[in-house]
Amino acid sequence: MKITKVNKTFGNHQVLKNISLDFPAGKTTVLVGPSGSGKSTILRSLDLLERPESGNFDLDELHIDFSQKIKDADILTVRKKTGMVFQSYNLFPHFTVLQNVTEGPVQVLGKKKADAEAEAKQLLAKVGLADKADFYPETLSGGQAQRVAIARSLAMHPEYILLDEPTSALDPELEMEVLKVLLELAKEKQSLVIVTHNLAFARRVADKIVFVENGEILYDGDAGKFFAQDNDNQRIQDFLNSMSLASLD
Amino acid sequence: MSCFARKELSKILHSIFTDYLPQIFAAGFKYTITLAIISFILGLIIALVTALVRISDKGGGFLIIKAIFRFYVWLFRSTPLLVQLFIVYFGLPYLKIPGLLPNGIKLAPFTAGIITFSLNTGAYASETIRAAIQSVPREQWEAAASIGMNRGKTLRRIILPQALKVSIPPLSNSFIGLVKDTSLAASITIVEMFEVSQQIAAENYQPLIMYSLVALVYALFCSVLSWLQGWLEKASSRHSKESEAEA
């Protein structure tokens, strides 16, 4: 999956400035940067929840030119191949946990209900919530809700899972539950694109780091080098220091 | 109390239970309740269609359809229901268009009532449903979109169930209002229960008793509806009940 020369403006504020990025399959790409830098907008563009004014999007054989009207069939293809996990979970409150997970497979992929339920139960077990299948989202903690959201996304068998600050709304303890699930997915070579402020986690999980600031990409490459102390990009060093990474070591 | 007065009172009480109330209830079931239920169901359908048209983001020629629906809501919310009933029942027969409608539109009283009450309820309820749909967070649309659901399916499966739950109290208000408004149907010759009580009062010269009786029956019908509303609200909030049990 890749985007090339993408531009996006909100009003007269240009949030993405001619951005090109590729997201290698089977790897974990982590987008970091200050708030309002445009990293969430990049992520949401990958699921077509935001529509850039110009630029290109490529996913397998599918090619989308953002300056043209996007065909409904292409939107559906992208949405099937990518799954979004939101900061605020956005579970469906009128469905049980199990129904949240089976809704996509049954309604969009046309799976049989029994098959979808069997798989949903496996996925819930995988995220450690087998016993919550019949609960309603309102009864879950934030960490549980976010793990259901991850299971809901996994049920669609997306090539890429996109996570928009998945743990920003969580206490550190609950955050760990979610991060463990994500580390597990990364180990299984599930392609992930994660926007996060948690640099310790980014360092642990990322194959590739993208540093975004003011709608521009200041770093795009190997995660190890990004966090290396001898990184000669002063701006990145300042950012890392400001996030007081030292105190986490 | 004189013997005469006591006799008179017991005669009236006897008539209330064996004559007046049975007549009022009969008219109530035959007209008041049927008018209210049929009109409310049709009104809800009209309201849902109107709300969906009005929140649609389609442009082009669809804007004309949107304008028509907006005009309809404005018209029925801006004119008295009684006047609307008169126009449909007494007025439309004079809508004579040579070649197309040489004889105007003559409607049976009951039909005219259903049409007017449905359109009136639809106009008000459409605003309720529109607001309820818009009260569902935008993120619910996004979550549905991200698992590949199209707009129609998202509405049907995700948005409307949440919106309808929110609109139970205001829609119940509309329904209760409609039950009472059907008394206006008396003015277009429908012999519903208010008309029946008027007719009896004209014979027995007991307007206070007759109108109080019919008021009581309206209150009874509306109380049943209030109870039904409570039951619906409880049934629709299944997903919050378990949290209460856990707490």
Side-chain angles (χ1 to χ4, degrees):
Chain A
M1 178 166 64
K2 65 174 184 180
I3 49 173
T4 25
K5 297 187 175 166
V6 164
N7 288 284
K8 171 79 184 167
T9 47
F10 288 128
N12 48 18
H13 174 58
Q14 189 166 8
V15 279
L16 299 182
K17 298 170 185 163
N18 215 31
I19 276 181
S20 298
L21 275 175
D22 74 310
F23 303 90
K27 304 272 186 198
T28 298
T29 306
V30 176
L31 284 78
V32 295
S35 294
S37 58
K39 53 194 191 304
S40 282
T41 308
I42 295 176
L43 193 80
R44 288 166 58 82
S45 300
L46 301 178
D47 203 26
L48 307 181
L49 291 177
E50 300 290 352
R51 307 286 169 84
E53 287 89 38
S54 66
N56 295 301
F57 172 91
D58 287 279
L59 176 55
D60 302 334
E61 277 77 50
L62 180 71
H63 174 82
I64 287 174
D65 180 348
F66 282 127
S67 60
Q68 311 287 319
K69 189 180 176 343
I70 307 173
K71 281 182 284 186
D72 283 351
D74 289 350
I75 294 175
L76 183 60
T77 306
V78 172
R79 298 259 166 86
K80 278 182 182 168
K81 290 188 172 190
T82 61
M84 184 69 121
V85 174
F86 302 88
Q87 181 180 346
S88 48
Y89 335 125
N90 303 350
L91 296 179
F92 305 129
H94 57 304
F95 287 158
T96 63
V97 164
L98 190 73
Q99 288 169 327
N100 264 278
V101 182
T102 57
E103 182 68 3
V106 172
Q107 294 296 327
V108 179
L109 303 180
K111 267 197 187 175
K112 281 207 201 88
K113 199 171 162 227
D115 297 345
E117 282 181 354
E119 196 193 352
K121 280 177 184 159
Q122 282 174 13
L123 289 171
L124 286 172
K126 181 175 179 157
V127 298
L129 293 171
D131 54 331
K132 297 285 184 189
D134 296 326
F135 283 59
Y136 281 92
E138 211 178 63
T139 65
L140 303 179
S141 72
Q144 291 168 340
Q146 194 60 295
R147 284 183 283 152
V148 174
I150 292 169
R152 175 173 72 179
S153 178
L154 283 171
M156 297 293 289
H157 297 285
E159 286 180 31
Y160 285 83
I161 297 184
L162 316 171
L163 301 109
D164 191 3
E165 302 193 23
T167 62
S168 296
L170 301 176
D171 300 339
E173 203 179 333
L174 301 180
E175 183 174 19
M176 283 314 296
E177 301 173 355
V178 175
L179 296 183
K180 272 182 199 152
V181 170
L182 295 181
L183 281 170
E184 193 60 36
L185 290 178
K187 218 159 76 186
E188 294 168 10
K189 302 292 174 204
Q190 165 74 49
S191 315
L192 301 174
V193 183
I194 308 174
V195 167
T196 184
H197 288 288
N198 185 333
L199 290 182
F201 172 63
R203 188 173 197 173
R204 177 85 185 274
V205 77
D207 297 303
K208 172 176 166 156
I209 291 274
V210 175
F211 181 71
V212 190
E213 189 174 52
N214 291 325
E216 288 172 300
I217 288 163
L218 297 192
Y219 182 91
D220 171 11
D222 182 69
K225 275 188 200 139
F226 180 81
F227 289 105
Q229 291 303 317
D230 59 351
N231 188 325
D232 52 7
N233 185 320
Q234 191 54 45
R235 178 63 197 108
I236 291 172
Q237 283 301 342
D238 290 348
F239 176 74
L240 293 178
N241 290 336
S242 75
M243 303 291 277
S244 56
L245 186 62
S247 68
L248 292 169
D249 286 338
Chain B
M1 209 188 279
S2 72
C3 183
F4 176 76
R6 202 179 306 157
K7 229 178 185 171
E8 195 67 6
L9 184 70
S10 86
K11 210 177 105 191
I12 288 175
L13 275 175
H14 184 75
S15 300
I16 286 175
F17 286 102
T18 60
D19 186 9
Y20 308 156
L21 275 179
Q23 282 198 60
I24 290 175
F25 270 108
F29 285 113
K30 190 163 179 205
Y31 291 113
T32 302
I33 290 190
T34 41
L35 265 178
I37 290 180
I38 298 174
S39 304
F40 189 68
I41 292 171
L42 293 177
L44 273 189
I45 296 169
I46 296 169
L48 186 62
V49 172
T50 306
L52 292 180
V53 167
R54 294 197 61 192
I55 60 158
S56 160
D57 51 8
K58 281 206 187 82
F62 200 75
L63 290 177
I64 299 169
I65 298 174
K66 270 176 115 161
I68 292 171
F69 276 88
R70 200 167 57 236
F71 173 75
Y72 149 65
V73 173
W74 168 81
L75 185 69
F76 276 82
R77 293 208 310 163
S78 315
T79 53
L81 179 53
L82 185 59
V83 175
Q84 294 164 13
L85 279 167
F86 272 51
I87 290 175
V88 172
Y89 182 64
F90 296 114
L92 287 187
Y94 294 90
L95 183 69
K96 292 177 181 164
I97 305 168
L100 199 63
L101 277 173
N103 301 316
I105 303 173
K106 289 197 182 84
L107 296 168
F110 193 77
T111 316
I114 293 279
I115 290 174
T116 314
F117 288 125
S118 306
L119 287 171
N120 189 275
T121 304
Y124 282 97
S126 75
E127 289 291 273
T128 302
I129 294 178
R130 185 171 67 97
I133 290 174
Q134 285 168 342
S135 77
V136 177
R138 194 176 51 95
E139 285 80 5
Q140 288 289 309
W141 288 94
E142 291 190 344
S146 77
I147 56 169
M149 287 181 130
N150 59 26
R151 202 179 149 83
K153 215 164 233 181
T154 303
L155 256 175
R156 218 168 47 245
R157 303 270 320 163
I158 308 299
I159 305 299
L160 283 181
Q162 296 183 58
L164 288 179
K165 189 191 153 201
V166 180
S167 45
I168 289 173
L171 287 180
S172 301
N173 264 350
S174 299
F175 195 13
I176 288 171
L178 175 61
V179 168
K180 291 179 293 182
D181 284 346
T182 55
S183 59
L184 295 173
S187 61
I188 58 165
T189 76
I190 296 178
V191 195
E192 47 69 67
M193 59 190 202
F194 180 52
E195 174 67 24
V196 164
S197 60
Q198 283 188 66
Q199 288 174 359
I200 300 174
E203 287 168 19
N204 69 3
Y205 305 108
Q206 296 282 6
L208 178 62
I209 291 177
M210 289 321 299
Y211 297 143
S212 301
L213 275 182
V214 78
L216 210 67
V217 178
Y218 276 114
L220 182 75
F221 286 167
C222 292
S223 304
V224 171
L225 289 180
S226 298
W227 175 82
L228 203 68
Q229 172 189 350
W231 179 81
L232 266 177
E233 280 180 35
K234 226 184 239 164
S236 71
S237 59
R238 250 177 317 134
H239 54 278
S240 13
K241 248 202 295 197
E242 260 151 327
S243 63
E244 283 162 28
E246 264 204 339

